[in-house]
Amino acid sequence: MAGHPTRNPFPARGTSSAEETSRRDFRDDWARHTPTALLPGVRGAVRLSGEYLRAFRGGAAGEGGLGCLYGAHGVGKTHAARHMMAQAGREAPEAVQLYLRFQEDDFVAAYRRLVSQLPQTLLTDLNERYLDRVWEDLVARAGDPDLVPSGQVLEEQAKEISAVAGNGAEFQRALSFLANPGFSEAAYDWLCGRPISTEAALAIGVRGQLDDPVMCRYGVQLLTALMTGSGRPFMVVLDQCEKFLLEDGDPIPANVGLLQSLVEAIPRAGGMLLLVTSEAGWDCVPPDFRQRIGAGAVRLLPLTPDEARLVLSAYLATPTPDIRPFTDSGLLALLRHSGGNVRLLLQLSWASFEDAEPGAAVGATAVDAAAARHGRSPDLPGLEMLVEAKLLAAGLTAERGRTDGGATEFCFPGGRAPRAVIRLSEAIFFDDEAARATELVRLSRKARSGGNPVFTALVVTGYVSPAVLDHLRKAVHRVLVADGSAVFSRGLDAVLAEIGHVLAGDEQPVRDPGELDETLRALTASLEHLNSVRREEAVTLQRSLAEVADRLERGEEKPASGWPARRAELAAAIAEARRRRATSDWEEFRKIRDAVVLLRLNRIRWLAGALTAAVALAFVTLATASQHPGLLGAGLGAALVAAAVAAYHGSRLITSRIRLAAVPLESRRELDLIARELRRYADPRSADPVCRYAYALTEDPDDNYRRLAAAMLGEPLALVRQAIGHRMAVTERSPADCVPEVQRGLRERTPEVLLLLARAQRHSEVDRPPRVLRDLPPELRVLVALANPGAPDLADGAISRHPAELVLAALGVRGPGHPLARARGGPPGSVPIEIPRNELRAAAHLLSPLEPDGLGTYDWLPLVAEIDGLYLFFEELLYHQEEMTSNRPKS
């Protein structure tokens, strides 16, 4: 099929995260390599930043900017904020932008991470510019520079600082010492909230480390005044605010007050503040908080069909109407299974594309099959069973039936005079909303027949068009979208609880008849109009698709490339190789374990024989006692000793998990279950591999990091080494701190230590990457680059003639302008690359999942999907080179 991408263009995770750094190149690199559909939330965020920058340049810096992006998880809030920052950086390169993602409700820790993003040189320069601006203002007022002594400049600065920050004298002294070579480091550390020595604190004139939330709030306000006072726009993005505002779903009043203070102070000082939060976070703030944000509040809703088409076309790099290889039915299936959630839609698009045959269309059947493995939302029969199970658990009795249109209904207590009705519905798209409106009118009128108070609820599988959802909520009491999430499950429980109260006579949900009739009339009219608009859009879309098809037919068709078929062959070979390696590791584990079980069973047999012999000896002794009375005591004693020894060892074996050890293991899941039951027997030196595996699941990766490392190096089984490596990878130690263990493990042929390196590097000063990472061999720096896609400097070590240098160049470590980096980020064949074939083959060999010791053979690495993508990229380059050579006319 023409236009079918040769590589999967969708992200497997579908998530977007941002680095906590003030560096613009990180944002620009992300924007170059990440598609962005201009959805309403994205446009709203860009509008907020554009209005702020225009006001700042127009001299209205005191107005500042304020906004909030809110919506459900996965609707693209972080992506919209990051796109806004990249766009603002292009529009105003001088702007200083900070991004912070709340991890907990600790504002002091958040402040330290926020301010540490600003390099010391930048803070020093801003302070000098700020003082210059203060001096110029004083000169303008006095009319003569000689009339403005230097002390007056500091006094004026102190007044302005005191106006925005409590304890302004301490902040001013810290700022003044930034230019003092002897105490500049200490002053910078104090402003960042880091600990400094007592001697340095006395010299600077400050108290100890900043550890008070109010003082940290003053610090943020001071930074805003410092930035804007020196003539530079200042923008702060605070993401995942719900983690800071809520604890177990309940608001934290102190934190709500802190954030509200920043909402007031930052715009007043001329800066811009953008909050990003879930709907729960937005709902928890007080009304005056929301009123202050006002028009700056942007709600991100689930995708409409047209918006989903825009997202697909952005990632497929095609004109908006053209979403091939996805069909229109495939698009609707994506919406139904994802619920219009951008993250889930991208994940499902990746899975559907990955499963499709090269060149084949991706329709509803293919998406349904992928969703069965990766999706969460139930289909209609599954939803019926789920509701019935919930009813049974809640102890409610309902009559199940079907409407004239075939929809399922649950009537409480029965269908003749119901007190409550739950209607189940398929997903509601743009083409049938008017028809569904008619059904809902009938449902509501039926519910009100006879004048009895009736509770009405509508449960829809997967997706409801956002344009109609608000209207539906006016027609019935409750509307739930069954997307398989915990939120839906809790919502259904709440609806059943309400029905229980209605049946008990505790609630009267009936509405005023005139009000309900007016609502239904407005709903019907609105949906009829919406359906008419959608039909016009569908006709326009079909016309656009026809024009695209005509242009393709008029153009010259290029000879079809054989790469899609070759890629499918490679993908099948990779899957088979991984299956063989997994089987080999599993069989190795089971073989050792079966030997341990057999040894224990043999011991039990020996002990049983010893016990039997002891009992027999006792009987023989008793039988001969009459003839030899002197032997009675000695024989009984020996028999009792033998029986005691056998009983002791037998009890030891029985209580030492022989029952669990003898359970047959057929899968990794069974191994995990048994290992968790054997936690009390976890021992890295045990002969039982299950106990060693249990040790990997239970040991603390921070307190006993050295013990885990020693256990990994001494472990003979690959499966157990992998478990230990995964356990160690959750340590708080950064990859740079784990380099010694990685180097030692590689020397001792224990590649599982690479799990410690293939992680994101956390550090506060990204402009100074850890030297230990840059000194790694180039093949290991490939893992560093893959794990830190937004920080290529981390892997920018000395250039060598190693094949990994080509891989690093493709990842952008040698700069985004390198031909390999541009070719990897653009459509295939768009960038000419003149690289010797043997070098490309060596790079592919390094990454190969099929060759011994290739990085792709480490199937347990979390980066294995990215490694596969790189491997296929180099294989494609090789294939196209050979294809061009074979098609070149011979002279």
Side-chain angles (χ1 to χ4, degrees), residues 619-869:
F619 278 111
V620 171
T621 303
L622 289 173
T624 59
S626 58
Q627 300 176 2
H628 305 281
L631 296 176
L632 179 60
L636 285 176
L640 290 174
V641 169
V645 170
Y648 172 75
H649 287 288
S651 64
R652 283 282 303 254
L653 277 175
I654 292 172
T655 58
S656 66
R657 66 250 173 227
I658 187 63
R659 179 183 60 82
L660 288 173
V663 174
L665 290 180
E666 300 298 335
S667 67
R668 287 286 296 271
R669 182 176 180 277
E670 292 179 358
L671 172 60
D672 289 336
L673 292 175
I674 294 176
R676 295 185 189 286
E677 291 190 52
L678 291 174
R679 286 185 178 213
R680 56 183 294 194
Y681 302 109
D683 185 356
R685 295 176 299 276
S686 173
D688 188 350
V690 177
C691 295
R692 302 202 302 272
Y693 189 89
Y695 170 78
L697 302 182
T698 58
E699 188 64 279
D700 188 288
D702 290 312
D703 294 343
N704 294 317
Y705 175 84
R706 301 295 180 192
R707 288 187 59 188
L708 276 168
M712 179 191 285
L713 295 175
E715 175 56 50
L717 294 180
L719 205 62
V720 180
R721 289 199 305 270
Q722 293 163 21
I724 297 175
H726 283 294
R727 185 65 175 171
M728 293 181 70
V730 299
T731 177
E732 289 297 324
R733 298 167 184 250
S734 68
D737 296 330
C738 298
V739 166
E741 285 74 28
V742 172
Q743 292 173 332
R744 181 186 171 192
L746 293 178
R747 286 195 304 268
E748 301 188 16
R749 305 292 295 173
T750 308
E752 288 80 9
V753 293
L754 293 178
L755 285 163
L756 298 172
L757 192 64
R759 300 177 294 137
Q761 169 70 25
R762 299 187 300 273
H763 50 281
S764 59
E765 297 183 32
V766 293
D767 53 331
R768 289 186 288 179
R771 186 69 192 180
V772 68
L773 294 181
R774 302 182 67 181
D775 289 341
L776 286 170
E779 66 272 19
L780 297 188
R781 286 190 276 113
V782 169
L783 294 181
V784 175
L786 285 171
N788 300 271
D793 289 350
L794 288 172
D796 190 11
I799 299 178
S800 66
R801 297 189 61 83
H802 194 278
E805 297 300 337
L806 286 183
V807 182
L808 292 170
L811 292 171
V813 176
R814 300 288 172 254
H818 191 282
L820 277 172
R822 287 189 289 135
R824 185 167 173 264
S830 62
V831 180
I833 302 175
E834 296 296 336
I835 296 175
R837 194 175 305 170
N838 64 315
E839 295 184 16
L840 292 176
R841 189 169 288 111
H845 186 92
L846 170 72
L847 298 163
S848 176
L850 306 173
E851 301 290 340
D853 295 327
L855 289 179
T857 62
Y858 302 145
D859 308 323
W860 28 263
L861 280 176
L863 305 173
V864 71
E866 289 83 352
I867 294 172
D868 285 352

Side-chain angles (χ1 to χ4, degrees), residues 165-404:
N167 291 333
E170 287 189 272
F171 284 107
Q172 185 196 22
R173 286 193 286 268
L175 288 174
S176 64
F177 273 88
L178 282 174
N180 188 316
F183 297 95
S184 59
E185 292 282 348
Y188 174 73
D189 287 342
W190 186 84
L191 287 169
C192 292
R194 301 170 184 166
I196 62 175
S197 67
T198 305
E199 294 78 11
L202 290 173
I204 296 173
V206 298
R207 287 174 290 180
Q209 180 183 10
L210 284 175
D211 56 2
D212 177 64
V214 176
M215 283 291 289
C216 292
R217 172 172 66 86
Y218 289 151
V220 175
Q221 296 171 190
L222 170 67
L223 279 179
T224 307
L226 191 66
M227 300 288 177
T228 58
S230 62
R232 300 184 68 169
F234 183 55
M235 304 170 69
V236 179
V237 177
L238 301 180
D239 199 357
Q240 296 188 4
C241 292
E242 67 274 9
K243 293 184 179 180
F244 179 71
L245 296 172
L246 300 173
E247 183 178 19
D248 296 331
D250 296 323
I252 305 174
N255 288 356
V256 173
L258 271 173
L259 206 57
Q260 190 164 8
S261 299
L262 292 179
V263 163
E264 296 290 341
I266 290 180
R268 187 167 58 242
M272 176 181 172
L273 176 64
L274 179 70
L275 307 178
V276 182
T277 185
S278 65
E279 291 188 337
W282 175 252
D283 292 338
C284 83
V285 299
D288 56 337
F289 192 122
R290 296 190 214 170
Q291 187 177 6
R292 177 67 181 86
I293 296 176
V298 178
R299 185 183 182 189
L300 280 73
L301 295 169
L303 298 171
T304 66
D306 289 344
E307 291 168 355
R309 187 179 296 275
L310 186 63
V311 171
L312 292 182
S313 63
Y315 279 86
L316 290 164
T318 60
T320 300
D322 186 5
I323 58 171
R324 290 176 293 176
F326 287 90
T327 65
D328 287 348
S329 65
L331 172 69
L332 297 184
L334 287 173
L335 277 173
R336 179 165 58 85
H337 289 292
S338 67
N341 184 286
V342 177
R343 179 187 303 169
L344 297 178
L345 183 134
L346 290 175
Q347 292 173 352
L348 190 53
S349 299
W350 180 88
S352 303
F353 188 98
E354 202 71 8
D355 294 344
E357 293 293 331
V362 183
T365 303
V367 174
D368 291 341
R373 295 186 297 276
H374 303 277
R376 301 186 305 168
S377 57
D379 55 9
L380 197 57
L383 182 60
E384 293 176 6
M385 290 189 293
L386 175 62
V387 172
E388 287 183 336
K390 289 280 189 180
L391 291 174
L392 183 63
L396 296 175
T397 302
E399 180 180 326
R400 175 176 169 177
R402 294 196 176 273
T403 65
D404 297 338

Side-chain angles (χ1 to χ4, degrees), residues 471-489:
H471 293 292
L472 292 179
R473 285 174 172 156
K474 295 176 183 177
V476 293
H477 291 91
R478 299 290 180 268
V479 179
L480 298 177
V481 181
D483 57 1
S485 67
V487 174
F488 163 69
S489 181

